Amino acid sequence: MYQPVIETKRKILTMEKLLIEGGHHLTGTVQISGAKNSAVALIPATILADSPVTIDQLPDISDVQTLCQLLEETGGKVTFQQNTLTVDPKDMVDMPLPNGRVKKLRASYYLMGAMLGRFHKAVIGLPGGCNLGPRPIDQHIKGFEALGAKVTNERGAIYLRATELHGARIYLDVVSVGATINIMLAAVKAEGRTIIENAAKEPEIIDVATLLTSMGAKIKGAGTDVIRIEGVRTLHGCRHMIIPDRIEAGTFMIIGAAQGRDLLIDNVIPQHVESLTAKLCEMGADIQVGEDQMLVSGRKSRLKCADVKTLVYPGFPTDLQQPITSLLTQAEGTSIITDTIYGSRFKHIDELRRMGANVKVEGRSAILTGATRLEGTKVRATDLRAGASLVIAGLIAGGITEIAGVEHIDRGYDHLMEKLQGIGAHVWRESMLESETEENLKDQD
Ligand code: EPU
């Protein structure tokens, strides 16, 4: 039986805000957890096996809990203890999931590929998740159809039905992490060969392919833009260790560049954060790269401004665009931050302005002039990485920053408050007053 940790349960029941007293130097070691964006695909992938699958080092975040609950709803036996998850998918059924928990996270779309692969049918409500502007899933659907599924949208839920799945050649019009993984999930048990062209190359795709391969799938080319899959009849249980979270590591690298004094980031694959390392060095941060650690120290002199353009991997990740914007408020000169993946991922900008940042949005870019002194005030996280950006701003700012919308941060950062406290940050949570909770809910996307 899946048992969420008591503390996380509390977070869901009461609305809380995060408070930060900024300006303190941060030092010591921070341990990076397993990758959220791998976890949310690895968990649905377990559906495809016919015996128990164990995944080690999963992050303790609410997106993981939600997916575990969804697997239980469909008949899976789930245990999650000390970051190790075991799923016995034997008795799972093709239960429709048109509403409820699937709406809580975007990654519930991976249930489509996994259930289609196992049962040849699925009904999944259109996914929720961070509101970053339009987030279509047309490439996922194009892939499922190419594999032989009939896909319809009925009253806000996607219905997938196939008599049999067969291999196909699929060219993705847009490089998409989600579509690449979802097509892999559906194709590993399809009859014959599937080729995904213009596939995404993110490390999370390699991680999912590694799990599927350990389960008996035949996949070649994951991590390149052409993935070849030879369908197999059955997949079996296995044990898998998830990769470290490059976005969490990147968030702490930015924190280190802002306030760090020999901040050691442990359990990171340096190659996964190369684009960020290069950018932080360009700005003047001091970074030493080890085998699976990074030592980051911040401003000995003024940081330099820099332009940032988000791109697919190995380019600068969109998920670190909002966090690095907070750091750029401390850099001398004008920086231009352009998001080519999500052109309206700028909901944090108004909040940063409240704190004193000199920044405006024009089209897909934010134009920022620094350095400005940030002052703590009441702000609201509208999405996960906006939350990370406000946490960084709060650590830099003078006075106390109060961040509402903490539930977005809990979706993707494992014990962020405790990790920050461990390196010397003055950060704590408080329950929101009833009036504040109402205000927060009223403003929810
Ligand atoms: N796109 C389409 N059609 C599709 C799929 C995507 O037009 O069918 C577009 C999207 O609108 C976007 C671009 O393609 O402009 C890339 O989207 P992608 O599919 O790669 O994103 P995703 O799979 O939905 C994952 C992460 C996001 C991360 C992006 C980009 C998960 C669960 N989510 O989303 O993570 O920003 O890749 O790297 O893996 C986050 O962690 O905060 C987060 C939002």
Side-chain angles (χ1 to χ4, degrees):
M1 174 73 178
Y2 169 64
Q3 305 231 303
V5 285
I6 294 163
E7 190 200 352
T8 328
K9 214 172 187 177
R10 174 178 60 84
K11 284 182 214 159
I12 290 165
L13 295 177
T14 58
M15 279 216 141
E16 292 184 330
K17 56 189 175 188
L18 193 69
L19 291 97
I20 303 175
E21 185 190 89
H24 298 282
H25 289 155
L26 305 176
T27 188
T29 303
V30 65
Q31 202 68 34
I32 300 306
S33 300
K36 164 197 166 255
N37 287 344
S38 270
V40 296
L42 296 173
I43 298 170
T46 63
I47 295 176
L48 290 159
D50 56 15
S51 52
V53 178
T54 297
I55 306 170
D56 291 312
Q57 296 299 324
L58 276 176
D60 187 3
I61 52 175
S62 64
D63 271 11
V64 163
Q65 290 175 34
T66 307
L67 281 168
C68 289
Q69 288 158 349
L70 283 164
L71 293 197
E72 281 198 327
E73 263 182 53
T74 53
K77 289 195 184 64
V78 179
T79 55
F80 186 36
Q81 270 167 354
Q82 287 167 352
N83 300 90
T84 292
L85 172 78
T86 300
V87 180
D88 185 348
K90 230 179 19 256
D91 299 330
M92 275 187 183
V93 290
D94 54 351
M95 199 172 88
L97 297 166
N99 287 306
R101 289 194 178 95
V102 286
K103 304 271 184 194
K104 281 195 184 174
L105 77 164
R106 174 132 189 104
S108 49
Y109 55 38
Y110 290 132
L111 295 167
M112 295 179 193
M115 287 176 105
L116 184 64
R118 168 144 174 203
F119 303 115
H120 290 182
K121 59 179 167 173
V123 179
I124 309 291
L126 273 169
C130 290
N131 183 352
L132 314 176
R135 296 179 76 181
I137 56 165
D138 56 305
Q139 298 303 305
H140 305 229
I141 291 170
K142 170 176 151 171
F144 297 145
E145 286 176 338
L147 296 171
K150 188 168 178 297
V151 185
T152 52
N153 181 346
E154 297 172 27
R155 293 179 301 280
I158 301 290
Y159 284 66
L160 304 116
R161 306 173 181 95
T163 36
E164 56 152 37
L165 292 175
H166 51 74
R169 191 179 199 111
I170 301 156
Y171 184 91
L172 296 180
D173 303 325
V174 183
V175 180
S176 159
V177 176
T180 303
I181 293 179
N182 233 342
I183 295 168
M184 273 189 343
L185 293 172
V188 282
K189 289 180 79 178
E191 180 84 34
R193 170 181 288 197
T194 297
I195 301 176
I196 309 173
E197 292 173 315
N198 201 25
K201 295 183 279 202
E202 270 67 2
E204 293 74 23
I205 290 159
I206 304 179
D207 203 21
V208 177
T210 306
L211 171 75
L212 291 169
T213 304
S214 303
M215 285 161 64
K218 294 196 173 137
I219 304 172
K220 282 190 180 149
T224 76
D225 56 8
V226 182
I227 301 179
R228 291 186 166 78
I229 301 166
E230 209 63 62
V232 295
R233 276 189 193 284
T234 57
L235 293 172
H236 49 75
C238 66
R239 187 158 198 139
H240 177 79
M241 168 84 91
I242 191 170
I243 57 169
D245 195 315
R246 64 194 166 98
I247 306 301
E248 188 198 13
T251 303
F252 276 102
M253 287 168 67
I254 295 170
I255 289 173
Q259 295 299 124
R261 295 289 179 274
D262 287 338
L263 180 65
L264 187 68
I265 297 160
D266 192 28
N267 189 34
V268 53
I269 299 176
Q271 198 197 348
H272 289 177
V273 287
E274 258 174 3
S275 59
L276 174 67
T277 308
K279 194 52 70 180
L280 293 179
C281 290
E282 186 184 321
M283 290 174 67
D286 177 13
I287 303 183
Q288 290 171 45
V289 181
E291 213 167 281
D292 59 356
Q293 295 181 325
M294 319 272 285
L295 188 67
V296 186
S297 287
R299 312 174 257 169
K300 286 199 183 87
S301 53
R302 281 264 185 214
L303 288 173
K304 293 192 275 287
C305 60
D307 292 343
V308 175
K309 190 184 246 186
T310 70
L311 290 167
V312 294
Y313 188 82
F316 192 95
T318 168
D319 295 342
L320 290 172
Q321 176 265 110
Q322 291 157 296
I324 204 170
T325 302
S326 299
L327 180 67
L328 285 166
T329 64
Q330 303 308 297
E332 215 52 76
T334 299
S335 303
I336 301 178
I337 304 125
T338 307
D339 201 318
T340 71
I341 312 287
Y342 295 115
S344 46
R345 200 173 197 175
F346 289 116
K347 296 224 174 69
H348 58 306
I349 294 294
D350 279 346
E351 306 301 298
L352 289 179
R353 283 160 64 103
R354 281 164 181 271
M355 296 178 72
N358 182 0
V359 54
K360 61 178 180 181
V361 176
E362 273 186 21
R364 288 177 161 259
S365 299
I367 300 161
L368 188 153
T369 305
T372 44
R373 185 177 155 75
L374 298 182
E375 285 297 337
T377 183
K378 286 189 179 189
V379 289
R380 192 168 74 85
T382 48
D383 58 81
L384 171 58
R385 308 302 172 187
S389 134
L390 296 176
V391 168
I392 295 166
L395 292 167
I396 296 169
I400 292 179
T401 302
E402 243 185 78
I403 306 173
V406 180
E407 61 283 1
H408 294 290
I409 301 175
D410 291 336
R411 283 193 39 221
Y413 285 94
D414 183 353
H415 289 91
L416 180 63
M417 181 184 74
E418 291 78 0
K419 289 187 185 185
L420 287 171
Q421 286 169 339
I423 53 173
H426 293 206
V427 46
W428 65 101
R429 297 171 83 114
E430 283 180 12
S431 297
M432 290 196 358
L433 303 173
E434 211 170 299
S435 56
E436 289 175 318
T437 302
E438 272 165 25
E439 189 67 14
N440 192 43
L441 286 173
K442 199 170 67 198
D443 289 352
Q444 293 273 7
D445 297 310

